[in-house]
């Protein structure tokens, strides 16, 4: 397998799953651009990604998104893993406790920001290129007290299907990670993490690289579009 001669943009590529995607793609020969809303995060990531480049983009600001893609021009693959952990955490509430104005803001990055990136990125993507979004297992196994997060995860999956039809022959897919041992998860109490994974068929969290590999598969397989791949340690079966 090779991505030699291909150009990949990873929005959210400075940490977690996104950084693992970028690192794996570099190993496969891709020209990689990582993007984040924070310059310090971009600079720190590039120190660990020899040969990659990076830039700042604010998914909450459509003008920033448009400028980013106009500046970087033609590319082959786009992966979006960016998320707003603070807003998502505030959205994890029972419906009776939701502040609806605050709840709307929790969609700014994961849904509306991703859509803005696809809108403007699709002007520059190769006709045989691919876009990969990031969903969540809550779409399939909802938690009590998290209806908005469940809806957000489900919205990404249906957006993926619609875009696969709308943007064809560009391929559009999504990856649906389970609990992944990224930086925010590392800050959680060990007993909380263990309780979340103890019933899985593979009873542990995924490494970022394990969660990243499906993104590479979706770039490399030219016959897959409109699909959501779960990476959940067998969680859908238990």
């Amino acid at each position: 397998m090779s991505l030699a001669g291909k150009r990949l943009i990873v929005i959210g590529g400075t940490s977690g799953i996104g950084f693992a995607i970028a690192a794996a793609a570099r190993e496969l020969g891709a020209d990689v651009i990582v993007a984040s809303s924070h310059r310090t995060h971009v600079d720190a990531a590039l120190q660990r990604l020899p040969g990659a480049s990076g830039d700042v983009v604010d998914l909450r600001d459509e003008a920033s998104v448009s400028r980013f893609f106009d500046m970087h021009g033609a590319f082959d693959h786009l992966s979006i893993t960016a998320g707003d952990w603070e807003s998502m955490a505030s959205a994890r509430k029972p419906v009776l406790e939701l502040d609806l104005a605050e709840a709307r803001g929790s969609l700014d990055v994961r849904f509306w920001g991703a859509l803005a990136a696809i809108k403007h990125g699709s002007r520059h993507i190769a006709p045989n290129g691919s876009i990969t979004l990031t969903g969540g297992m809550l779409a399939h196994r909802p938690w009590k007290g998290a209806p908005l997060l469940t809806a957000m995860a489900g919205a990404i999956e249906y957006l993926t299907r619609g875009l696969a039809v709308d943007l064809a022959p560009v391929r559009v897919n999504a990856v649906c990670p389970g609990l992944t041992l990224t930086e925010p998860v590392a800050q959680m109490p060990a007993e909380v993490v263990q309780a979340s994974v103890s019933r899985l068929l593979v009873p542990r969290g995924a490494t970022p690289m394990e969660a990243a590999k499906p993104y590479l598969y979706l770039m490399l397989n030219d016959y897959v579009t409109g699909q959501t791949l779960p990476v959940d340690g067998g969680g859908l079966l238990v």
Side-chain angles (χ1 to χ4, degrees):
M1 296 188 298
S2 174
L3 287 170
K6 301 297 183 180
R7 198 165 192 234
L8 166 63
I9 295 175
V10 188
I11 299 181
T14 61
S15 63
I17 297 172
F19 182 86
I21 295 167
R26 283 292 301 148
E27 291 184 2
L28 292 176
D31 175 15
V32 174
I33 302 168
V34 296
S36 167
S37 57
H38 299 283
R39 170 57 63 183
T40 55
H41 294 175
V42 173
D43 293 342
L46 293 180
Q47 291 180 3
R48 299 187 290 148
L49 281 173
S53 59
D55 204 352
V56 174
V57 63
D58 183 356
L59 291 183
R60 293 183 180 86
D61 180 354
E62 187 175 351
S64 171
V65 175
S66 179
R67 285 193 300 271
F68 172 85
F69 283 102
D70 286 345
M71 180 180 300
H72 291 284
F75 66 95
D76 299 282
H77 302 288
L78 170 65
S79 292
I80 305 174
T81 62
D84 183 347
W85 282 92
E86 184 175 340
S87 292
M88 290 175 64
S90 68
R92 187 178 175 181
K93 295 178 180 177
V95 65
L96 292 177
E97 298 177 14
L98 281 175
D99 179 318
L100 293 183
E102 184 180 70
R104 291 185 183 95
S106 67
L107 297 170
D108 284 349
V109 172
R110 291 293 296 271
F111 184 83
W112 293 114
L115 189 57
I118 294 163
K119 172 184 174 181
H120 293 284
S122 62
R123 300 199 308 264
H124 303 281
I125 196 168
N128 62 342
S130 76
I131 298 168
T132 309
L133 305 180
T134 303
M137 291 309 299
L138 281 178
H140 305 275
R141 294 181 64 87
W143 294 341
K144 187 175 179 62
L148 180 60
L149 294 181
T150 301
M152 186 189 310
I156 292 296
E157 295 195 16
Y158 282 93
L159 179 63
T160 296
R161 296 182 188 184
L163 289 170
V165 174
D166 196 45
L167 295 178
V170 172
R171 296 178 298 106
V172 185
N173 295 287
V175 174
C176 196
L179 189 142
T180 304
L181 302 176
T182 57
E183 292 87 340
V185 173
Q187 298 174 16
M188 296 168 58
E191 60 273 17
V192 173
V193 174
Q194 183 56 34
S196 299
V197 301
S198 60
R199 294 183 59 198
L200 299 179
L201 300 181
V202 182
R204 59 176 177 80
T207 67
M209 187 56 72
E210 287 172 328
K213 287 179 179 178
Y215 293 82
L216 277 295
Y217 164 77
L218 292 169
M219 293 177 212
L220 290 162
N221 193 325
D222 293 335
Y223 203 58
V224 179
T225 192
Q227 303 302 307
T228 298
L229 297 188
V231 188
D232 68 339
L236 283 176
L237 303 178
V238 296

